[in-house]
PDB file of all heavy atoms in Angstrom:
ATOM      1  N   ALA A 110    -100.584  33.178  32.230  1.00 91.00           N
ATOM      2  CA  ALA A 110    -101.505  32.537  33.179  1.00 91.00           C
ATOM      3  C   ALA A 110    -101.037  31.114  33.479  1.00 91.00           C
ATOM      4  O   ALA A 110    -101.144  30.644  34.617  1.00 91.00           O
ATOM      5  CB  ALA A 110    -102.926  32.535  32.624  1.00 91.00           C
ATOM      6  N   ALA A 111    -100.491  30.428  32.471  1.00 94.00           N
ATOM      7  CA  ALA A 111     -99.946  29.084  32.690  1.00 94.00           C
ATOM      8  C   ALA A 111     -98.739  29.137  33.628  1.00 94.00           C
ATOM      9  O   ALA A 111     -98.540  28.224  34.439  1.00 94.00           O
ATOM     10  CB  ALA A 111     -99.571  28.432  31.363  1.00 94.00           C
ATOM     11  N   VAL A 112     -97.946  30.201  33.539  1.00 93.00           N
ATOM     12  CA  VAL A 112     -96.837  30.384  34.483  1.00 93.00           C
ATOM     13  C   VAL A 112     -97.398  30.516  35.894  1.00 93.00           C
ATOM     14  O   VAL A 112     -96.897  29.906  36.837  1.00 93.00           O
ATOM     15  CB  VAL A 112     -95.974  31.614  34.113  1.00 93.00           C
ATOM     16  CG1 VAL A 112     -94.960  31.922  35.211  1.00 93.00           C
ATOM     17  CG2 VAL A 112     -95.268  31.404  32.781  1.00 93.00           C
ATOM     18  N   ASP A 113     -98.459  31.325  36.048  1.00 89.00           N
ATOM     19  CA  ASP A 113     -99.123  31.453  37.351  1.00 89.00           C
ATOM     20  C   ASP A 113     -99.573  30.093  37.875  1.00 89.00           C
ATOM     21  O   ASP A 113     -99.377  29.775  39.046  1.00 89.00           O
ATOM     22  CB  ASP A 113    -100.373  32.337  37.248  1.00 89.00           C
ATOM     23  CG  ASP A 113    -100.091  33.811  37.384  1.00 89.00           C
ATOM     24  OD1 ASP A 113     -98.951  34.171  37.704  1.00 89.00           O
ATOM     25  OD2 ASP A 113    -101.021  34.601  37.167  1.00 89.00           O
ATOM     26  N   LEU A 114    -100.196  29.348  36.999  1.00 91.00           N
ATOM     27  CA  LEU A 114    -100.699  28.028  37.382  1.00 91.00           C
ATOM     28  C   LEU A 114     -99.555  27.133  37.850  1.00 91.00           C
ATOM     29  O   LEU A 114     -99.667  26.453  38.867  1.00 91.00           O
ATOM     30  CB  LEU A 114    -101.442  27.389  36.214  1.00 91.00           C
ATOM     31  CG  LEU A 114    -102.080  26.028  36.465  1.00 91.00           C
ATOM     32  CD1 LEU A 114    -103.107  26.115  37.580  1.00 91.00           C
ATOM     33  CD2 LEU A 114    -102.719  25.523  35.186  1.00 91.00           C
ATOM     34  N   GLY A 115     -98.465  27.166  37.118  1.00 89.00           N
ATOM     35  CA  GLY A 115     -97.301  26.370  37.507  1.00 89.00           C
ATOM     36  C   GLY A 115     -96.758  26.770  38.862  1.00 89.00           C
ATOM     37  O   GLY A 115     -96.326  25.921  39.652  1.00 89.00           O
ATOM     38  N   MET A 116     -96.787  28.060  39.161  1.00 87.00           N
ATOM     39  CA  MET A 116     -96.276  28.536  40.451  1.00 87.00           C
ATOM     40  C   MET A 116     -97.256  28.214  41.586  1.00 87.00           C
ATOM     41  O   MET A 116     -96.843  27.831  42.669  1.00 87.00           O
ATOM     42  CB  MET A 116     -96.021  30.044  40.394  1.00 87.00           C
ATOM     43  CG  MET A 116     -94.987  30.446  39.364  1.00 87.00           C
ATOM     44  SD  MET A 116     -93.391  29.663  39.585  1.00 87.00           S
ATOM     45  CE  MET A 116     -92.729  30.630  40.892  1.00 87.00           C
ATOM     46  N   SER A 117     -98.546  28.366  41.339  1.00 81.00           N
ATOM     47  CA  SER A 117     -99.526  28.160  42.405  1.00 81.00           C
ATOM     48  C   SER A 117     -99.699  26.693  42.757  1.00 81.00           C
ATOM     49  O   SER A 117    -100.086  26.364  43.869  1.00 81.00           O
ATOM     50  CB  SER A 117    -100.879  28.758  42.018  1.00 81.00           C
ATOM     51  OG  SER A 117    -101.482  28.017  40.985  1.00 81.00           O
ATOM     52  N   ASN A 118     -99.405  25.792  41.823  1.00 76.00           N
ATOM     53  CA  ASN A 118     -99.648  24.375  42.097  1.00 76.00           C
ATOM     54  C   ASN A 118     -98.755  23.858  43.203  1.00 76.00           C
ATOM     55  O   ASN A 118     -99.129  22.951  43.929  1.00 76.00           O
ATOM     56  CB  ASN A 118     -99.535  23.545  40.816  1.00 76.00           C
ATOM     57  CG  ASN A 118     -98.172  22.995  40.524  1.00 76.00           C
ATOM     58  OD1 ASN A 118     -97.682  22.129  41.227  1.00 76.00           O
ATOM     59  ND2 ASN A 118     -97.549  23.480  39.477  1.00 76.00           N
ATOM     60  N   TYR A 119     -97.592  24.453  43.383  1.00 71.00           N
ATOM     61  CA  TYR A 119     -96.703  23.985  44.450  1.00 71.00           C
ATOM     62  C   TYR A 119     -97.270  24.297  45.822  1.00 71.00           C
ATOM     63  O   TYR A 119     -97.068  23.549  46.765  1.00 71.00           O
ATOM     64  CB  TYR A 119     -95.308  24.603  44.292  1.00 71.00           C
ATOM     65  CG  TYR A 119     -94.602  24.072  43.079  1.00 71.00           C
ATOM     66  CD1 TYR A 119     -94.407  24.867  41.962  1.00 71.00           C
ATOM     67  CD2 TYR A 119     -94.166  22.756  43.027  1.00 71.00           C
ATOM     68  CE1 TYR A 119     -93.783  24.373  40.836  1.00 71.00           C
ATOM     69  CE2 TYR A 119     -93.551  22.251  41.899  1.00 71.00           C
ATOM     70  CZ  TYR A 119     -93.357  23.063  40.811  1.00 71.00           C
ATOM     71  OH  TYR A 119     -92.757  22.561  39.700  1.00 71.00           O
ATOM     72  N   ARG A 120     -97.982  25.404  45.936  1.00 80.00           N
ATOM     73  CA  ARG A 120     -98.589  25.748  47.219  1.00 80.00           C
ATOM     74  C   ARG A 120     -99.929  25.062  47.405  1.00 80.00           C
ATOM     75  O   ARG A 120    -100.195  24.449  48.423  1.00 80.00           O
ATOM     76  CB  ARG A 120     -98.789  27.261  47.318  1.00 80.00           C
ATOM     77  CG  ARG A 120     -97.510  28.050  47.466  1.00 80.00           C
ATOM     78  CD  ARG A 120     -97.843  29.494  47.473  1.00 80.00           C
ATOM     79  NE  ARG A 120     -98.537  29.739  46.192  1.00 80.00           N
ATOM     80  CZ  ARG A 120     -98.557  30.855  45.547  1.00 80.00           C
ATOM     81  NH1 ARG A 120     -97.980  31.879  46.031  1.00 80.00           N
ATOM     82  NH2 ARG A 120     -99.181  30.977  44.400  1.00 80.00           N
ATOM     83  N   ALA A 121    -100.788  25.193  46.413  1.00 87.00           N
ATOM     84  CA  ALA A 121    -102.170  24.757  46.560  1.00 87.00           C
ATOM     85  C   ALA A 121    -102.354  23.253  46.422  1.00 87.00           C
ATOM     86  O   ALA A 121    -103.192  22.667  47.103  1.00 87.00           O
ATOM     87  CB  ALA A 121    -103.055  25.469  45.541  1.00 87.00           C
ATOM     88  N   PHE A 122    -101.582  22.625  45.552  1.00 91.00           N
ATOM     89  CA  PHE A 122    -101.823  21.221  45.234  1.00 91.00           C
ATOM     90  C   PHE A 122    -100.637  20.335  45.590  1.00 91.00           C
ATOM     91  O   PHE A 122    -100.456  19.268  44.998  1.00 91.00           O
ATOM     92  CB  PHE A 122    -102.164  21.068  43.753  1.00 91.00           C
ATOM     93  CG  PHE A 122    -103.303  21.941  43.314  1.00 91.00           C
ATOM     94  CD1 PHE A 122    -103.134  22.889  42.318  1.00 91.00           C
ATOM     95  CD2 PHE A 122    -104.546  21.823  43.910  1.00 91.00           C
ATOM     96  CE1 PHE A 122    -104.182  23.691  41.916  1.00 91.00           C
ATOM     97  CE2 PHE A 122    -105.599  22.629  43.516  1.00 91.00           C
ATOM     98  CZ  PHE A 122    -105.416  23.570  42.509  1.00 91.00           C
ATOM     99  N   GLU A 123     -99.864  20.767  46.556  1.00 89.00           N
ATOM    100  CA  GLU A 123     -98.676  20.021  46.946  1.00 89.00           C
ATOM    101  C   GLU A 123     -99.030  18.587  47.340  1.00 89.00           C
ATOM    102  O   GLU A 123    -100.012  18.340  48.038  1.00 89.00           O
ATOM    103  CB  GLU A 123     -97.999  20.730  48.132  1.00 89.00           C
ATOM    104  CG  GLU A 123     -96.667  20.146  48.502  1.00 89.00           C
ATOM    105  CD  GLU A 123     -95.977  20.944  49.579  1.00 89.00           C
ATOM    106  OE1 GLU A 123     -96.651  21.697  50.304  1.00 89.00           O
ATOM    107  OE2 GLU A 123     -94.755  20.810  49.694  1.00 89.00           O
ATOM    108  N   ASN A 124     -98.234  17.671  46.830  1.00 89.00           N
ATOM    109  CA  ASN A 124     -98.379  16.240  47.127  1.00 89.00           C
ATOM    110  C   ASN A 124     -99.711  15.652  46.664  1.00 89.00           C
ATOM    111  O   ASN A 124    -100.247  14.741  47.296  1.00 89.00           O
ATOM    112  CB  ASN A 124     -98.171  15.966  48.626  1.00 89.00           C
ATOM    113  CG  ASN A 124     -96.789  16.355  49.078  1.00 89.00           C
ATOM    114  OD1 ASN A 124     -95.809  16.159  48.368  1.00 89.00           O
ATOM    115  ND2 ASN A 124     -96.698  16.922  50.271  1.00 89.00           N
ATOM    116  N   THR A 125    -100.252  16.192  45.584  1.00 90.00           N
ATOM    117  CA  THR A 125    -101.452  15.614  44.983  1.00 90.00           C
ATOM    118  C   THR A 125    -101.129  15.260  43.535  1.00 90.00           C
ATOM    119  O   THR A 125    -100.155  15.770  42.971  1.00 90.00           O
ATOM    120  CB  THR A 125    -102.647  16.601  44.994  1.00 90.00           C
ATOM    121  OG1 THR A 125    -102.368  17.681  44.088  1.00 90.00           O
ATOM    122  CG2 THR A 125    -102.927  17.141  46.381  1.00 90.00           C
ATOM    123  N   PRO A 126    -101.929  14.413  42.931  1.00 94.00           N
ATOM    124  CA  PRO A 126    -101.712  14.107  41.507  1.00 94.00           C
ATOM    125  C   PRO A 126    -101.819  15.346  40.616  1.00 94.00           C
ATOM    126  O   PRO A 126    -101.212  15.406  39.559  1.00 94.00           O
ATOM    127  CB  PRO A 126    -102.817  13.104  41.176  1.00 94.00           C
ATOM    128  CG  PRO A 126    -103.243  12.537  42.477  1.00 94.00           C
ATOM    129  CD  PRO A 126    -103.002  13.605  43.500  1.00 94.00           C
ATOM    130  N   LEU A 127    -102.574  16.352  41.070  1.00 95.00           N
ATOM    131  CA  LEU A 127    -102.718  17.567  40.281  1.00 95.00           C
ATOM    132  C   LEU A 127    -101.407  18.344  40.222  1.00 95.00           C
ATOM    133  O   LEU A 127    -101.087  18.957  39.200  1.00 95.00           O
ATOM    134  CB  LEU A 127    -103.850  18.438  40.826  1.00 95.00           C
ATOM    135  CG  LEU A 127    -104.240  19.647  39.987  1.00 95.00           C
ATOM    136  CD1 LEU A 127    -104.536  19.259  38.538  1.00 95.00           C
ATOM    137  CD2 LEU A 127    -105.444  20.340  40.605  1.00 95.00           C
ATOM    138  N   GLU A 128    -100.640  18.311  41.281  1.00 94.00           N
ATOM    139  CA  GLU A 128     -99.325  18.959  41.258  1.00 94.00           C
ATOM    140  C   GLU A 128     -98.476  18.358  40.135  1.00 94.00           C
ATOM    141  O   GLU A 128     -97.846  19.083  39.359  1.00 94.00           O
ATOM    142  CB  GLU A 128     -98.609  18.793  42.595  1.00 94.00           C
ATOM    143  CG  GLU A 128     -97.203  19.384  42.584  1.00 94.00           C
ATOM    144  CD  GLU A 128     -96.401  19.094  43.831  1.00 94.00           C
ATOM    145  OE1 GLU A 128     -96.698  18.113  44.544  1.00 94.00           O
ATOM    146  OE2 GLU A 128     -95.449  19.847  44.092  1.00 94.00           O
ATOM    147  N   THR A 129     -98.476  17.052  40.032  1.00 95.00           N
ATOM    148  CA  THR A 129     -97.707  16.372  38.991  1.00 95.00           C
ATOM    149  C   THR A 129     -98.231  16.717  37.609  1.00 95.00           C
ATOM    150  O   THR A 129     -97.451  17.005  36.691  1.00 95.00           O
ATOM    151  CB  THR A 129     -97.749  14.848  39.213  1.00 95.00           C
ATOM    152  OG1 THR A 129     -97.254  14.561  40.521  1.00 95.00           O
ATOM    153  CG2 THR A 129     -96.925  14.115  38.177  1.00 95.00           C
ATOM    154  N   ALA A 130     -99.541  16.708  37.447  1.00 97.00           N
ATOM    155  CA  ALA A 130    -100.141  16.997  36.134  1.00 97.00           C
ATOM    156  C   ALA A 130     -99.800  18.412  35.672  1.00 97.00           C
ATOM    157  O   ALA A 130     -99.447  18.630  34.504  1.00 97.00           O
ATOM    158  CB  ALA A 130    -101.654  16.798  36.194  1.00 97.00           C
ATOM    159  N   ILE A 131     -99.883  19.380  36.572  1.00 96.00           N
ATOM    160  CA  ILE A 131     -99.571  20.763  36.216  1.00 96.00           C
ATOM    161  C   ILE A 131     -98.070  20.922  35.981  1.00 96.00           C
ATOM    162  O   ILE A 131     -97.653  21.638  35.063  1.00 96.00           O
ATOM    163  CB  ILE A 131    -100.101  21.730  37.293  1.00 96.00           C
ATOM    164  CG1 ILE A 131    -101.632  21.713  37.287  1.00 96.00           C
ATOM    165  CG2 ILE A 131     -99.573  23.146  37.053  1.00 96.00           C
ATOM    166  CD1 ILE A 131    -102.272  22.458  38.434  1.00 96.00           C
ATOM    167  N   SER A 132     -97.267  20.261  36.776  1.00 95.00           N
ATOM    168  CA  SER A 132     -95.816  20.312  36.574  1.00 95.00           C
ATOM    169  C   SER A 132     -95.435  19.758  35.205  1.00 95.00           C
ATOM    170  O   SER A 132     -94.531  20.285  34.548  1.00 95.00           O
ATOM    171  CB  SER A 132     -95.089  19.536  37.671  1.00 95.00           C
ATOM    172  OG  SER A 132     -95.228  20.179  38.907  1.00 95.00           O
ATOM    173  N   ASN A 133     -96.118  18.719  34.776  1.00 97.00           N
ATOM    174  CA  ASN A 133     -95.850  18.149  33.448  1.00 97.00           C
ATOM    175  C   ASN A 133     -96.161  19.153  32.343  1.00 97.00           C
ATOM    176  O   ASN A 133     -95.420  19.253  31.356  1.00 97.00           O
ATOM    177  CB  ASN A 133     -96.655  16.872  33.238  1.00 97.00           C
ATOM    178  CG  ASN A 133     -96.152  15.730  34.092  1.00 97.00           C
ATOM    179  OD1 ASN A 133     -95.029  15.743  34.581  1.00 97.00           O
ATOM    180  ND2 ASN A 133     -97.000  14.737  34.293  1.00 97.00           N
ATOM    181  N   ILE A 134     -97.232  19.905  32.499  1.00 97.00           N
ATOM    182  CA  ILE A 134     -97.579  20.936  31.517  1.00 97.00           C
ATOM    183  C   ILE A 134     -96.521  22.034  31.517  1.00 97.00           C
ATOM    184  O   ILE A 134     -96.038  22.458  30.456  1.00 97.00           O
ATOM    185  CB  ILE A 134     -98.977  21.526  31.806  1.00 97.00           C
ATOM    186  CG1 ILE A 134    -100.055  20.487  31.516  1.00 97.00           C
ATOM    187  CG2 ILE A 134     -99.215  22.808  30.980  1.00 97.00           C
ATOM    188  CD1 ILE A 134    -101.438  20.888  31.969  1.00 97.00           C
ATOM    189  N   SER A 135     -96.143  22.490  32.702  1.00 95.00           N
ATOM    190  CA  SER A 135     -95.142  23.552  32.805  1.00 95.00           C
ATOM    191  C   SER A 135     -93.822  23.126  32.180  1.00 95.00           C
ATOM    192  O   SER A 135     -93.198  23.898  31.440  1.00 95.00           O
ATOM    193  CB  SER A 135     -94.918  23.938  34.273  1.00 95.00           C
ATOM    194  OG  SER A 135     -96.079  24.482  34.828  1.00 95.00           O
ATOM    195  N   GLU A 136     -93.411  21.913  32.457  1.00 96.00           N
ATOM    196  CA  GLU A 136     -92.150  21.409  31.900  1.00 96.00           C
ATOM    197  C   GLU A 136     -92.228  21.319  30.378  1.00 96.00           C
ATOM    198  O   GLU A 136     -91.287  21.693  29.671  1.00 96.00           O
ATOM    199  CB  GLU A 136     -91.826  20.046  32.498  1.00 96.00           C
ATOM    200  CG  GLU A 136     -90.521  19.470  32.003  1.00 96.00           C
ATOM    201  CD  GLU A 136     -90.198  18.117  32.616  1.00 96.00           C
ATOM    202  OE1 GLU A 136     -90.894  17.674  33.545  1.00 96.00           O
ATOM    203  OE2 GLU A 136     -89.225  17.504  32.143  1.00 96.00           O
ATOM    204  N   PHE A 137     -93.341  20.828  29.875  1.00 97.00           N
ATOM    205  CA  PHE A 137     -93.503  20.711  28.428  1.00 97.00           C
ATOM    206  C   PHE A 137     -93.453  22.091  27.768  1.00 97.00           C
ATOM    207  O   PHE A 137     -92.785  22.276  26.744  1.00 97.00           O
ATOM    208  CB  PHE A 137     -94.814  19.996  28.100  1.00 97.00           C
ATOM    209  CG  PHE A 137     -94.974  19.697  26.639  1.00 97.00           C
ATOM    210  CD1 PHE A 137     -94.390  18.568  26.091  1.00 97.00           C
ATOM    211  CD2 PHE A 137     -95.687  20.546  25.818  1.00 97.00           C
ATOM    212  CE1 PHE A 137     -94.527  18.289  24.732  1.00 97.00           C
ATOM    213  CE2 PHE A 137     -95.830  20.281  24.460  1.00 97.00           C
ATOM    214  CZ  PHE A 137     -95.244  19.150  23.919  1.00 97.00           C
ATOM    215  N   LEU A 138     -94.163  23.067  28.340  1.00 97.00           N
ATOM    216  CA  LEU A 138     -94.142  24.416  27.794  1.00 97.00           C
ATOM    217  C   LEU A 138     -92.737  25.007  27.854  1.00 97.00           C
ATOM    218  O   LEU A 138     -92.285  25.666  26.922  1.00 97.00           O
ATOM    219  CB  LEU A 138     -95.126  25.320  28.542  1.00 97.00           C
ATOM    220  CG  LEU A 138     -96.605  25.063  28.276  1.00 97.00           C
ATOM    221  CD1 LEU A 138     -97.470  25.860  29.247  1.00 97.00           C
ATOM    222  CD2 LEU A 138     -96.966  25.397  26.837  1.00 97.00           C
ATOM    223  N   TYR A 139     -92.052  24.769  28.949  1.00 96.00           N
ATOM    224  CA  TYR A 139     -90.695  25.290  29.131  1.00 96.00           C
ATOM    225  C   TYR A 139     -89.772  24.803  28.017  1.00 96.00           C
ATOM    226  O   TYR A 139     -88.955  25.562  27.504  1.00 96.00           O
ATOM    227  CB  TYR A 139     -90.162  24.864  30.499  1.00 96.00           C
ATOM    228  CG  TYR A 139     -88.815  25.443  30.845  1.00 96.00           C
ATOM    229  CD1 TYR A 139     -88.727  26.692  31.453  1.00 96.00           C
ATOM    230  CD2 TYR A 139     -87.646  24.759  30.559  1.00 96.00           C
ATOM    231  CE1 TYR A 139     -87.492  27.236  31.773  1.00 96.00           C
ATOM    232  CE2 TYR A 139     -86.404  25.300  30.877  1.00 96.00           C
ATOM    233  CZ  TYR A 139     -86.340  26.532  31.483  1.00 96.00           C
ATOM    234  OH  TYR A 139     -85.119  27.078  31.797  1.00 96.00           O
ATOM    235  N   HIS A 140     -89.928  23.569  27.634  1.00 96.00           N
ATOM    236  CA  HIS A 140     -89.056  22.994  26.610  1.00 96.00           C
ATOM    237  C   HIS A 140     -89.585  23.175  25.185  1.00 96.00           C
ATOM    238  O   HIS A 140     -88.815  23.041  24.228  1.00 96.00           O
ATOM    239  CB  HIS A 140     -88.820  21.506  26.879  1.00 96.00           C
ATOM    240  CG  HIS A 140     -88.029  21.270  28.123  1.00 96.00           C
ATOM    241  ND1 HIS A 140     -86.712  21.639  28.270  1.00 96.00           N
ATOM    242  CD2 HIS A 140     -88.374  20.718  29.299  1.00 96.00           C
ATOM    243  CE1 HIS A 140     -86.278  21.324  29.465  1.00 96.00           C
ATOM    244  NE2 HIS A 140     -87.270  20.760  30.120  1.00 96.00           N
ATOM    245  N   SER A 141     -90.864  23.481  25.031  1.00 95.00           N
ATOM    246  CA  SER A 141     -91.466  23.550  23.701  1.00 95.00           C
ATOM    247  C   SER A 141     -91.711  24.966  23.186  1.00 95.00           C
ATOM    248  O   SER A 141     -91.784  25.169  21.979  1.00 95.00           O
ATOM    249  CB  SER A 141     -92.802  22.813  23.691  1.00 95.00           C
ATOM    250  OG  SER A 141     -92.614  21.462  24.002  1.00 95.00           O
TER     251      SER A 141
END
């Protein structure tokens, strides 16, 4: 579901602070 969230944020929340916040979570999960 977090993968889904990471993918949907680019469409739904593009150019908002939420896009950055979700991207940070996705990146952290990817590396952790």
